[in-house]
Amino acid sequence: MKNKINSDTLPEHFYLDILENLFLCVFVNDESGRTTYTNPAMIRHYGVMPHYLINTYPEWGFWEGIVFPPAYKQLMKEKRTVFYNQLNLITNNCNTTINTPVMKNDSSNRVEFMVQIIQEDFLKKDLSINSDSRKELSNLQTDLIGKNHFFCALIKDLEKIADSDMPILLLGESGTGKTYIAEYIHNYSYRQDKPFRSINCGAIPSNLLESELFGYTSGSFTGANTKGKKGLFELAEGGTLFLDEIGDLPIDLQVKILHVLEDGKFMPIGSTVPIHSNVRIITATNKDLKKCIAIKTFREDLYWRINAFCTVIPPLRKRQEDIIPLAQYYLDKQNRKYQTKKVFYPQTLVILAMYHWPGNIRELKNAIERIYILTGGNIIFENHIPKEVYHFNIKDKKYYYTYNEIIKQAEKVIIMAAYTLHGTINGVAQALNISQGRAYRMIKQYGN
């Protein structure tokens, strides 16, 4: 046949192409549970890049809180291929897993490594999982998703002060999720049963902003509602008021906000009777307030009043391990909304994870919604990704690991396993049928 493939002349990358583009998830673990290879399809299941599992060398115990039931125990005991229906505690999906042992080429009857294939069952979904079993940070506010160590530590600090009345200032780029975090703080506090109100101080004309914040009485100005209007300070009584983009607040209103914070009362427009306020204030901005103070556009006394606790929300490009869980979360929201079962093709997630997302979580959310709408079938391929995201990725950077890098990873496991078993360079050389010089060099290379 003219197009017949000659297996004797196939290039090395041909086999890697198959693995890297396979829709099925492929795992290879050694007998201790360390991951020696996994293809990009695993991103869809566990929300992390392949190099995370390979570089951290998790052992079998790592999977105890992620999949149920774990299949390795039966496989290691019976030394045969086992089939399992496993519940993924991260995605809530029930997957079919096929686990095949590859035995050592000796008389020990020991497993050298295990190959696991994971196939989703798109017709079933087990939702009985307890959310407390999840590894992600969640979930009083479900849009607040994170695995990044710095981000999780930041949230833990905010949880500690949530029950206080301490004013909190959230700094960070636009789109980093400051509103979600403010609402999370409110929901974590003793004020959770009271109102949460928010306002973007830069989105409302200054002549209307005062009435939005403090309200007004009947007939206080031309065009006013004859019944008057309650402002956000009054509507948020007992709860939390989130002032987003406070750096855009006009100077005259900054003075009035300061008086509320200091005196605990405010005056609606047109009123002569103050209203007492019991409101927790959380503010946010993407501006450098110290520079604003220097150019006299922000009051220094207000800055110190709202800055009892200040934290910086990291941009999404510094939370790369959170990109995939967030993308999956926003896709799941669309699936629930429209009762569909669309999934990401593995290479699609690779491209999403490599992009720097200058618009942060907001840009990612919009991109996923756009991708969802433009995808006609159930699998979201790379060509559905917005051009600005797709073209950002370097085309040559196709694989996580080259063929030679995968070989080196396997070499390391084999060499160090032999060295652990035999304890000497000569023992390794004899067991692997290599020279003592080569055994010495490889132990020195991989033993560091």
Side-chain angles (χ1 to χ4, degrees), residues 299-417:
R299 293 180 61 97
E300 185 173 8
D301 48 3
L302 178 58
Y303 172 76
W304 293 116
R305 195 67 181 78
I306 63 175
N307 192 25
F309 184 91
C310 178
T311 190
V312 179
I313 312 302
L316 193 53
R317 64 182 175 275
K318 293 186 178 180
R319 295 171 51 193
Q320 190 179 40
E321 60 267 63
D322 294 343
I323 293 173
I324 295 166
L326 283 165
Q328 192 66 61
Y329 169 72
Y330 289 123
L331 176 62
D332 288 345
K333 285 185 74 171
Q334 296 298 309
N335 278 330
R336 288 194 299 271
K337 182 177 180 180
Y338 297 105
Q339 297 183 335
T340 55
K341 297 179 180 179
K342 296 184 181 182
V343 295
F344 290 113
Y345 188 68
Q347 292 295 339
T348 304
L349 287 171
V350 171
I351 293 171
L352 293 176
M354 290 171 61
Y355 186 55
H356 66 301
W357 299 105
N360 294 298
I361 295 174
R362 184 182 296 120
E363 181 186 8
L364 175 64
K365 179 177 182 291
N366 292 341
I368 299 305
E369 290 178 355
R370 172 181 169 183
I371 289 170
Y372 175 88
I373 292 171
L374 294 178
T375 300
N378 277 339
I379 300 177
I380 300 174
F381 292 101
E382 303 101 303
N383 62 314
H384 296 124
I385 297 175
K387 291 182 180 179
E388 63 272 15
V389 176
Y390 187 84
H391 291 313
F392 170 82
N393 293 275
I394 302 172
K395 293 183 180 179
D396 293 336
K397 193 174 182 180
K398 187 175 182 181
Y399 309 120
Y400 289 105
Y401 298 97
T402 65
Y403 181 86
N404 289 333
E405 286 172 332
I406 293 173
I407 295 298
K408 285 182 178 180
Q409 291 164 7
E411 274 185 356
K412 179 174 182 177
V413 172
I414 294 169
I415 288 293
M416 297 316 296

Side-chain angles (χ1 to χ4, degrees), residues 148-174:
N148 175 267
H149 174 75
F150 177 82
F151 181 75
C152 290
L154 178 155
I155 297 301
K156 290 299 180 184
D157 286 341
L158 291 173
E159 288 176 355
K160 291 175 183 177
I161 66 169
D163 263 340
S164 72
D165 291 326
M166 184 184 297
I168 296 174
L169 174 60
L170 305 176
L171 302 177
E173 297 177 10
S174 178

